[in-house]
């Protein structure tokens, strides 16, 4: 007998990193920024008029769109905002990947891509990164339904130069190519200048990492006015009021302080380079991360055992039990003090196991 269950859209959901309720943990597991957002964000929050909450927010988020456009030297019709870049990416999959042909993304990458594709019944093919975890544009040659690649990639932290993406774009004028730049501000080269040359290139960024606002949920896409129009049409066919009034104000305020932003990013880069050196001295191996995390392994150590032990010691990092990467840990860059404690703990673990 058929039941309503036969007609359910059955999905295997994405599992986000743990958000432990305990205090006093060192949280290096979800690539959050260890520093607060710009002081102007607090000011905007303090002066927010709560009475305005009775009204719907501006569905176009015009203030925020205009602030993003002027920050990046674009026109407003080249910018789309969403509730975190997860929202922007999900809307983009829905809008652009409808050919029935497989969408391409790396085999080791952000683990939401296959979840959205499965949920939306979009066929896909995972293209293996090379053995140094780099994207080879030749691997993307051929017919497909679209392409999505993070730069820098996650969870590897490794970035490619702009010409890698130009080669991919040159080979695929007939599909939308999405470059997910969630971590680009930590040292990679943005492909944003290419949006004038390629009207099928969508660049997606977020306030969650470099702008320290993961809790506010602000993501945005930049591309040709035509791409942005199609994306908006789908968004407005789904839910007009996705971003709330408070968030629109806070996001706009964040963009007005370029100096705080640049200093914050540079601080994290310095801590990352310090952490790389310490990890190398302890015998860890990793690619050249230009993001706010390091993806590292150690010959003599089981990553899952070290992950569990660190957790028992109150230090949360991320472990993915997946092909090719099950001996790696992804370690978010925290404050200097957090990273010093992390390194000391790892040293203790290695000593306990007679390594190093
Ligand atoms: N893209 C990549 C590669 C990410 O790692 C993340 C963070 N999990 C996101 C997009 C989404 O971030 P947010 O929704 O917070 O903007």
């Amino acid at each position: 007998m058929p039941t309503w269950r036969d007609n359910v859209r059955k999905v295997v959901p994405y599992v986000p990193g743990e958000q432990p309720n305990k205090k006093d943990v060192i949280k290096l597991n979800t690539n959050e920024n260890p520093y607060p957002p710009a002081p102007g964000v607090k000011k905007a929050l303090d002066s927010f008029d709560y009475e305005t909450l009775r009204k719907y927010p501006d569905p176009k988020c015009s203030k925020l769109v205009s602030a993003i456009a002027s920050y990046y030297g674009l026109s407003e019709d080249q910018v789309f905002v969403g509730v975190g870049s997860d929202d922007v990416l999900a809307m983009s999959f829905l809008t652009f990947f409808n050919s029935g042909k497989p969408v391409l993304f790396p085999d080791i990458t952000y683990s939401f891509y296959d979840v959205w594709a499965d949920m939306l019944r979009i066929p896909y093919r995972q293209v293996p990164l090379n053995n140094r975890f780099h994207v080879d544009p030749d691997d993307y040659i051929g017919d497909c339904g679209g392409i999505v690649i993070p730069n820098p990639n996650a969870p590897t932290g490794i970035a490619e130069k702009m010409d890698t993406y130009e080669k991919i774009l040159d080979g695929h004028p007939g599909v939308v190519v999405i470059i997910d730049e969630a971590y680009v501000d930590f040292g990679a080269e943005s492909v944003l200048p290419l949006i004038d040359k390629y009207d099928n290139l969508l660049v997606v960024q977020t306030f969650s990492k470099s702008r320290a606002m993961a809790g506010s949920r602000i993501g945005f896409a930049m591309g040709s006015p035509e791409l942005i129009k199609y994306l908006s049409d789908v968004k407005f066919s789904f839910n007009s009021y996705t971003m709330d009034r408070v968030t629109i104000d806070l996001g706009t305020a964040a963009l007005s302080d370029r100096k705080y932003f640049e200093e914050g990013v540079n601080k994290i880069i310095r801590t990352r380079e310090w952490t790389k050196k310490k990890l190398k001295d302890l015998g860890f191996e990793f690619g050249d991360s230009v993001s706010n995390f390091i993806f590292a392994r150690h010959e003599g150590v089981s990553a899952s055992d070290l992950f569990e032990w660190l957790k028992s010691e109150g230090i949360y990092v991320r472990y993915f039990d997946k092909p090719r990467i099950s001996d790696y840990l992804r370690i978010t860059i925290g404050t200097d003090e957090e990273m010093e404690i992390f390194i000391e703990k790892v040293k203790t673990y290695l000593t306990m196991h007679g390594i190093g």
Side-chain angles (χ1 to χ4, degrees), residues 106-351:
D107 61 338
I108 302 166
T109 197
Y110 185 31
S111 41
F112 226 138
Y113 298 158
D114 53 342
V115 173
W116 287 315
D118 284 333
M119 191 258 290
L120 297 167
R121 311 298 188 238
I122 296 167
Y124 59 90
R125 184 161 67 79
Q126 288 161 303
V127 181
L129 294 176
N130 75 14
N131 58 6
R132 290 175 309 109
F133 287 170
H134 276 273
V135 172
D136 182 341
D138 290 343
D139 295 337
Y140 287 78
I141 292 172
D143 207 19
C144 69
I147 294 173
V148 52
I149 304 175
N151 190 53
N153 197 5
T156 63
I158 295 170
E160 309 301 337
K161 292 259 179 286
M162 207 187 286
D163 67 332
T164 296
Y165 298 106
E166 281 209 79
K167 276 187 201 149
I168 291 174
L169 284 155
D170 285 335
H172 292 283
V175 299
V176 171
V177 175
I178 301 174
I179 304 300
D180 175 355
E181 295 192 335
Y183 303 99
V184 76
D185 296 325
F186 298 105
E189 185 182 20
S190 174
V191 297
L192 186 59
L194 299 181
I195 64 171
D196 290 330
K197 187 169 167 199
Y198 299 94
D199 65 2
N200 59 328
L201 168 63
L202 192 74
V203 180
V204 177
Q205 294 193 7
T206 179
F207 281 44
S208 297
K209 317 295 177 179
S210 54
R211 297 186 190 280
M213 292 180 73
S216 270
R217 315 303 302 125
I218 305 172
F220 56 105
M222 298 172 284
S224 63
E226 202 184 351
L227 276 188
I228 297 303
K229 163 86 170 66
Y230 283 127
L231 196 47
S232 298
D233 286 348
V234 168
K235 176 241 149 93
F236 283 107
S237 308
F238 209 80
N239 180 353
S240 322
Y241 306 111
T242 50
M243 188 174 285
D244 65 79
R245 285 176 167 272
V246 182
T247 305
I248 293 171
D249 281 7
L250 303 193
T252 308
L255 285 171
S256 68
D257 197 339
R258 206 180 269 265
K259 187 161 169 275
Y260 181 87
F261 166 75
E262 281 167 4
E263 282 172 5
V265 161
N266 286 332
K267 205 152 49 167
I268 289 168
I269 292 174
R270 279 197 302 275
T271 312
R272 177 187 73 211
E273 295 308 311
W274 179 89
T275 310
K276 277 184 189 169
K277 189 177 173 310
K278 293 290 172 188
L279 284 174
K280 189 152 262 156
D281 291 347
L282 293 175
F284 282 84
E285 300 162 41
F286 42 86
D288 188 24
S289 169
V290 286
S291 49
N292 67 336
F293 53 86
I294 298 170
F295 197 52
R297 73 168 169 193
H298 193 295
E299 277 248 294
V301 173
S302 146
S304 69
D305 289 353
L306 176 56
F307 165 78
E308 292 296 346
W309 183 81
L310 284 169
K311 191 162 150 180
S312 72
E313 294 287 311
I315 299 179
Y316 286 65
V317 296
R318 193 86 190 258
Y319 172 69
F320 301 94
D321 190 8
K322 288 189 164 178
R324 296 185 75 188
I325 57 170
S326 60
D327 50 352
Y328 282 82
L329 291 180
R330 193 194 68 188
I331 305 140
T332 303
I333 302 303
T335 61
D336 288 340
E337 195 197 349
E338 286 174 329
M339 299 321 284
E340 278 162 24
I341 296 170
F342 165 76
I343 291 291
E344 281 312 309
K345 285 284 178 201
V346 171
K347 261 188 211 163
T348 305
Y349 184 87
L350 295 179
T351 310

Side-chain angles (χ1 to χ4, degrees), residues 73-97:
L74 305 173
S75 59
E76 286 166 22
D77 59 4
Q78 290 176 294
V79 177
F80 172 88
V81 302
V83 184
S85 52
D86 281 343
D87 179 41
V88 175
L89 289 161
M91 283 296 144
S92 305
F93 273 50
L94 186 58
T95 308
F96 300 119
F97 297 158

